[in-house]
Amino acid sequence: MAEENNSNKDNQLPNNVGNETPNEDNIEQAKLSAFDVFMKDLIILTKDKRKFIITTLIVIAGLSSLLYYSVLDNSKHFDDDFIFTNPGFQNPKDYLTIFKINAFRFIPFYTFAQQLSISGNHLSQYYVVNIAIHIINSFLVFLLAYSLLGSPKLSGSKVSEYRAILSMFLAIIFAVHPIQTQAVSYIYQRLALIGAFFYFSSIYFYVSYRMSEQKFKFKFWLLLLSIVSIVGGLFSKENTFTLPGIFVLLEVSLLSKRKSVSFMFIVLSFILVGIGVLLFFMFQIPERVFYPQVNFDGETIRSINYFITQFKVFPRYFLLMLFPFSQNIDHDIPIANTFGDSGVMGGVIFFAVSLLIALFAYKRYKLIFVGILWIYISMAVESSFIPLADVMNEHRLYIPLFGFLLILVQLADMYLQKDENIRRLVIVCLILCGIYSIKTLLRNTVWQSEYSLWADAAKKSPNKARAQFKFGIEAFDNKQPDIALQAFNKTIKLYPKFPAVYSYLGAINAQSGNYQQAIDYYGKYIDLTHRRSKPEGYLSRARLYRAINKMDSAKQDYKSYLSLVPTDNVAFGEAIGLYNLLGQSDSTEVLFKIIAKADRNNYKPTMKMAVDNFNKKNYKQALSYLNVLVDNDSIPADTKSEIFNLRGTVFFYLNDKISSSIDFENATSLNPKNLIAWRNKAMIHRELGEYELEKEAIDNMEQLVPGETQLLILKGRNYYHLHRYDEAKKHLNDLIKIEPHNKEAKELLKKINSK
């Protein structure tokens, strides 16, 4: 903690508390109420800074743990699946892959990858980490508030005199405020928590550096920690880019000494953020940052209408920070395209008035000035010209809330002009903490499951298509088809071109046995969605066509689906079964050609069918599958060798010995170590009377398995056909010594001896 200029005032007691003489202590203590005792102990505690700081930390940690304990049993929410299904998070040591996902969210993304390797799917452990970061952030808020309230420009004020108590309550309110639930009770929003950690850290170390009376060596470390925190923030969340504005704000309003050094640091911070912006555009395509988006309600969001809509959002944000009684995961704020749209001008007036209040308050009520500008500056990245799918989100208030609390502290300063009002102020703070804590507990019950979360959103945003749709999904998954159907029908009324809703309507009607209605819904789903990104509509409709005996339509949908998802072996098996059911097994080759064309690497299903048919002696069917495989140039050489060898065997059984010979030649060329192929090659040359070529094949076999007993009969037979009888006798006699009862060897020896 930085050295303070008014520590003597910080330790003063109110005029009417703690002035008892030593011999009156027992009598006065008996007369004091429980609250008076609490106030006396609290103010005495502020005299010992170390104990006070530790106590504050314990209170913050205890309250936060108590309020958020219930979320340990929560389900995943919204974007949380991004963490658990993203292959880039599977290896925490693969830093480059994690960095490429989003360079400017690398640090929180790395924590996800690291925790996946440790915690797996144990969600409670992820929530524990979120809660721990929130506790650390709340304590940082206490340290930052304590430092700022002791700044030179506030010297002599009641805020400075009672800054210990005010900082403690400010941090506690920050910790228990229900607006923070979306950042803490939502795993993915660890981004907001870690971003805030670096945000508050950089400002706290900078303020400590500016206000410290220590030697430069000590101050240098504070400065370095601030710079490191800025860098950490740049790679945690994009709102860190607003830090230079906060530094300028604090310099102008509260920090007045050593201006030359401070402005050097401000310049340095701008340079650091400038480097961050440069890196941002190196790793991001600039056009994509400002690229129009279509939100979940079908509205097109561009930079200009997103900016205009934010004027509708600002008053809501301020209201939520003061009265957080209409919290919602999916606030219903229609996009405004002109300043004449409903609600925009009211927001513009609110924005202008709030800035005027800040300007008028600058000289006398600096914390109001700082608080209002802090809110707008810290929201600048997410509430300006960069179009985002959601125009309003509660986790975006995690950092701005500090500015709002500074405004409340300034209002408290007005009330504290009389020392005895500290009692009433503490009561107000306790009541406020109590109300906010109860509201946080209640809000966390909403976050317990996706069902409770979206049921709440659907109720509060009845005209929001996404809220109705997500609630419908949860009702469907919880086996409440009637409720789901109502929600999906509302979705269609609000947004008739919402593709996914038709898929669920198809599923509900299929479960109810309304197959034709389900088929119609899946048809709409296929028409509205991008076929390559959402191919499952074809599969669902194919199964329904099969159920109502429309086999031709079913076959066509299976083909369409497998052309998009050739690796789905279940669907592949269903399609094969359909062809077999119709007695069209000879036509299944078309499926394998579709798969081979769609995914050159997915040859295993075709290979399996080829082997199965070969084993069943369905050689013509096996040949049709092998023909598809032979045409696939992406199959590895060793596997391709096995395919040619199998097809050569099939040709042999089909009495096409020339084709068989060619395939065995291809098999040995692709893999010279394929012993079975060499054996088959030798066999086919013998069948064709090509004994010299047979000898070459046997010689190659001998190189692979020297000393193999089977080679003796092969060589003996081959030399016999080549009329090299002495060499034949030698090999055959060697075989008789090993296998005295080998009939073929004895018969060949008889033939040789008779010549």
Side-chain angles (χ1 to χ4, degrees):
M1 185 80 66
E3 294 291 325
E4 312 301 343
N5 298 325
N6 54 349
S7 58
N8 59 324
K9 292 185 178 181
D10 194 42
N11 297 328
Q12 289 181 357
L13 300 176
N15 294 333
N16 58 345
V17 178
N19 294 330
E20 300 86 350
T21 59
N23 59 351
E24 296 174 331
D25 279 351
N26 294 335
I27 298 173
E28 292 298 322
Q29 186 69 25
K31 294 180 180 178
L32 291 175
S33 66
F35 181 74
D36 290 329
V37 173
F38 167 76
M39 282 297 304
K40 180 179 179 181
D41 291 342
L42 177 61
I43 294 176
I44 291 174
L45 181 63
T46 62
K47 294 180 180 181
D48 189 330
K49 291 182 181 178
R50 179 173 295 181
K51 285 185 178 180
F52 181 71
I53 291 171
I54 293 173
T55 301
T56 301
L57 176 59
I58 292 172
V59 171
I60 289 172
L63 281 174
S64 298
S65 300
L66 180 65
L67 295 179
Y68 286 97
Y69 177 78
S70 63
V71 307
L72 299 184
D73 293 326
N74 281 14
S75 66
K76 291 184 289 187
H77 297 296
F78 219 15
D79 291 333
D80 286 346
D81 280 330
F82 175 77
I83 301 167
F84 297 93
T85 60
N86 194 313
F89 292 154
Q90 301 307 310
N91 181 10
K93 294 182 180 179
D94 192 355
Y95 306 107
L96 183 59
T97 298
I98 300 171
F99 188 81
K100 286 180 178 178
I101 296 172
N102 189 326
F104 294 93
R105 297 184 174 186
F106 170 75
I107 294 177
F109 281 180
Y110 175 75
T111 70
F112 290 143
Q114 191 64 248
Q115 193 160 10
L116 269 173
S117 67
I118 298 171
S119 305
N121 290 320
H122 293 91
L123 299 182
S124 61
Q125 297 178 27
Y126 294 84
Y127 288 115
V128 166
V129 173
N130 277 23
I131 295 168
I133 299 172
H134 179 58
I135 291 171
I136 294 170
N137 286 345
S138 300
F139 185 64
L140 276 172
V141 162
F142 163 72
L143 297 177
L144 178 57
Y146 189 87
S147 297
L148 288 176
L149 297 186
S151 61
K153 293 282 183 75
L154 296 177
S155 178
S157 67
K158 290 296 181 180
V159 163
S160 180
E161 182 178 347
Y162 292 106
R163 65 180 174 135
I165 294 176
L166 292 173
S167 299
M168 179 186 68
F169 277 109
L170 185 151
I172 292 173
I173 292 173
F174 181 90
V176 305
H177 200 290
I179 205 65
Q180 310 292 48
T181 52
Q182 187 163 322
V184 183
S185 304
Y186 177 11
I187 297 173
Y188 183 76
Q189 282 312 323
R190 185 179 299 175
L191 276 71
L193 297 172
I194 293 179
F197 167 77
F198 287 113
Y199 203 93
F200 290 131
S201 295
S202 63
I203 299 170
Y204 169 68
F205 288 126
Y206 173 66
V207 172
S208 298
Y209 157 78
R210 289 285 286 114
M211 295 177 59
S212 176
E213 300 293 338
Q214 299 288 337
K215 295 181 180 179
F216 179 76
K217 184 178 180 180
F218 175 78
K219 293 171 62 178
F220 169 78
W221 288 108
L222 293 173
L223 185 62
L224 182 62
L225 285 171
S226 183
I227 294 172
V228 170
S229 297
I230 292 173
V231 175
L234 288 175
F235 293 97
S236 296
K237 205 165 188 294
E238 293 84 344
N239 53 10
T240 307
F241 292 116
T242 63
L243 273 172
I246 297 294
F247 289 134
V248 172
L249 171 66
L250 295 180
E251 281 295 335
V252 169
S253 57
L254 298 177
L255 310 173
S256 59
K257 295 182 179 180
R258 294 177 288 280
K259 289 185 179 179
S260 59
V261 179
S262 65
F263 280 111
M264 283 178 61
F265 180 77
I266 291 172
V267 171
L268 179 61
S269 67
F270 268 104
I271 292 173
L272 284 171
V273 174
I275 293 172
V277 172
L278 179 63
L279 291 172
F280 182 82
F281 286 108
M282 286 175 61
F283 294 106
Q284 298 279 354
I285 299 174
E287 291 80 6
R288 288 186 180 177
V289 176
F290 298 96
Y291 195 78
Q293 299 189 35
V294 177
N295 68 10
F296 297 94
D297 295 291
E299 299 169 307
T300 300
I301 303 176
R302 299 179 176 84
S303 292
I304 186 62
N305 62 5
Y306 184 84
F307 173 73
I308 293 172
T309 306
Q310 289 306 300
F311 288 104
K312 298 169 65 174
V313 174
F314 290 143
R316 294 194 181 206
Y317 276 155
F318 275 80
L319 189 62
L320 277 172
M321 286 188 282
L322 182 60
F323 300 114
F325 298 111
S326 58
Q327 289 182 261
N328 191 350
I329 185 66
D330 200 9
H331 289 274
D332 186 7
I333 303 177
I335 296 296
N337 293 299
T338 69
F339 282 96
D341 286 5
S342 175
V344 175
M345 285 311 299
V348 171
I349 294 171
F350 175 87
F351 178 76
V353 169
S354 62
L355 289 182
L356 286 174
I357 290 173
L359 291 174
F360 283 120
Y362 172 70
K363 288 188 177 180
R364 188 172 179 183
Y365 306 110
K366 293 192 180 298
L367 291 181
I368 292 179
F369 174 79
V370 173
I372 292 174
L373 292 186
W374 176 294
I375 292 170
Y376 286 126
I377 291 171
S378 60
M379 289 196 302
V381 170
E382 295 168 312
S383 295
S384 56
F385 290 99
I386 300 175
L388 303 173
D390 293 309
V391 296
M392 179 178 180
N393 258 321
E394 292 173 12
H395 66 261
R396 296 174 189 169
L397 292 177
Y398 193 86
I399 293 173
L401 181 63
F402 179 78
F404 184 80
L405 295 178
L406 288 180
I407 298 172
L408 297 185
V409 169
Q410 186 67 74
L411 297 177
D413 175 70
M414 301 176 189
Y415 187 66
L416 283 173
Q417 296 308 308
K418 294 182 180 180
D419 283 329
E420 60 269 19
N421 285 342
I422 186 64
R423 295 166 174 266
R424 296 172 185 171
L425 182 62
V426 169
I427 291 173
V428 171
C429 288
L430 289 172
I431 293 172
L432 198 59
C433 289
I435 293 172
Y436 284 161
S437 296
I438 293 171
K439 186 64 177 67
T440 294
L441 284 171
L442 294 174
R443 184 62 186 167
N444 277 334
T445 62
V446 174
W447 280 94
Q448 284 182 351
S449 68
E450 282 283 84
Y451 183 89
S452 57
L453 184 66
W454 289 104
D456 177 77
K459 181 179 178 180
K460 294 175 179 175
S461 299
N463 296 319
K464 196 83 185 292
R466 181 176 63 175
Q468 302 303 323
F469 174 65
K470 294 288 285 185
F471 176 52
I473 292 176
E474 297 311 314
F476 178 80
D477 290 342
N478 282 274
K479 303 187 186 313
Q480 298 176 332
D482 293 339
I483 295 176
L485 190 61
Q486 292 177 9
F488 291 140
N489 286 331
K490 287 181 182 177
T491 306
I492 292 176
K493 289 180 180 178
L494 294 169
Y495 182 21
K497 293 186 178 181
F498 200 128
V501 70
Y502 293 103
S503 176
Y504 279 95
L505 285 169
I508 290 175
N509 279 275
Q511 289 179 357
S512 303
N514 301 322
Y515 294 145
Q516 188 57 56
Q517 185 67 38
I519 287 171
D520 292 341
Y521 279 127
Y522 281 123
K524 290 181 180 179
Y525 174 67
I526 292 168
D527 291 341
L528 289 172
T529 193
H530 191 286
R531 62 187 298 269
R532 291 197 173 275
S533 62
K534 299 290 184 180
E536 63 272 8
Y538 288 109
L539 180 60
S540 299
R541 193 170 66 175
R543 289 166 174 166
L544 290 171
Y545 276 134
R546 184 172 180 175
I548 62 174
N549 207 32
K550 290 187 176 181
M551 300 306 186
D552 289 339
S553 298
K555 286 194 298 182
Q556 186 57 49
D557 273 357
Y558 274 122
K559 291 176 186 177
S560 297
Y561 177 74
L562 288 171
S563 70
L564 299 171
V565 191
T567 57
D568 190 337
N569 291 332
V570 174
F572 172 78
E574 292 177 11
I576 291 293
L578 178 60
Y579 275 90
N580 292 335
L581 179 66
L582 297 173
Q584 301 173 356
S585 56
D586 291 344
S587 302
T588 54
E589 184 177 347
V590 69
L591 291 176
F592 294 94
K593 289 182 177 179
I594 288 172
I595 290 174
K597 183 178 180 181
D599 184 358
R600 305 294 288 177
N601 296 317
N602 187 34
Y603 58 85
K604 291 182 180 180
T606 313
M607 187 68 179
K608 181 180 182 303
M609 294 303 297
V611 172
D612 287 347
N613 278 278
F614 175 80
N615 291 334
K616 295 175 182 178
K617 299 183 180 181
N618 299 327
Y619 299 125
K620 289 185 178 180
Q621 191 65 40
L623 182 61
S624 67
Y625 301 136
L626 291 167
N627 289 338
V628 173
L629 292 168
V630 164
D631 292 336
N632 190 341
D633 296 331
S634 67
I635 297 177
D638 289 355
T639 304
K640 200 68 167 287
S641 173
E642 297 293 339
I643 292 168
F644 273 112
N645 182 61
L646 182 58
R647 194 174 72 164
T649 306
V650 169
F651 278 131
F652 178 79
Y653 284 123
L654 292 173
N655 204 31
D656 185 351
K657 294 179 181 179
I658 300 299
S659 297
S660 178
S661 176
I662 294 171
D663 272 2
F664 291 141
E665 178 69 32
N666 287 327
T668 54
S669 298
L670 287 166
N671 182 12
K673 294 183 179 181
N674 190 337
L675 181 63
I676 297 175
W678 281 114
R679 191 186 304 275
N680 288 335
K681 189 174 187 297
M683 177 271 297
I684 199 66
H685 286 310
R686 183 172 70 250
E687 290 286 329
L688 293 171
E690 299 169 344
Y691 300 120
E692 288 292 344
L693 293 175
E694 179 192 12
K695 182 180 181 301
E696 290 179 11
I698 294 171
D699 289 342
N700 277 288
M701 290 173 62
E702 189 172 23
Q703 292 179 12
L704 294 173
V705 285
E708 174 68 32
T709 302
Q710 184 67 21
L711 290 173
L712 295 173
I713 188 65
L714 294 177
K715 284 188 171 185
R717 186 193 298 130
N718 179 251
Y719 283 128
Y720 172 79
H721 289 132
L722 290 171
H723 307 296
R724 296 165 61 174
Y725 299 123
D726 290 339
E727 292 171 281
K729 286 175 66 175
K730 177 182 179 301
H731 291 298
L732 292 170
N733 283 324
D734 288 343
L735 179 61
I736 291 294
K737 292 177 183 179
I738 299 171
E739 299 179 5
H741 303 293
N742 191 302
K743 292 181 180 181
E744 185 179 2
K746 289 179 178 180
E747 289 177 1
L748 284 172
L749 283 171
K750 285 181 182 180
K751 290 180 180 180
I752 293 171
N753 290 329
S754 67
K755 294 213 181 267

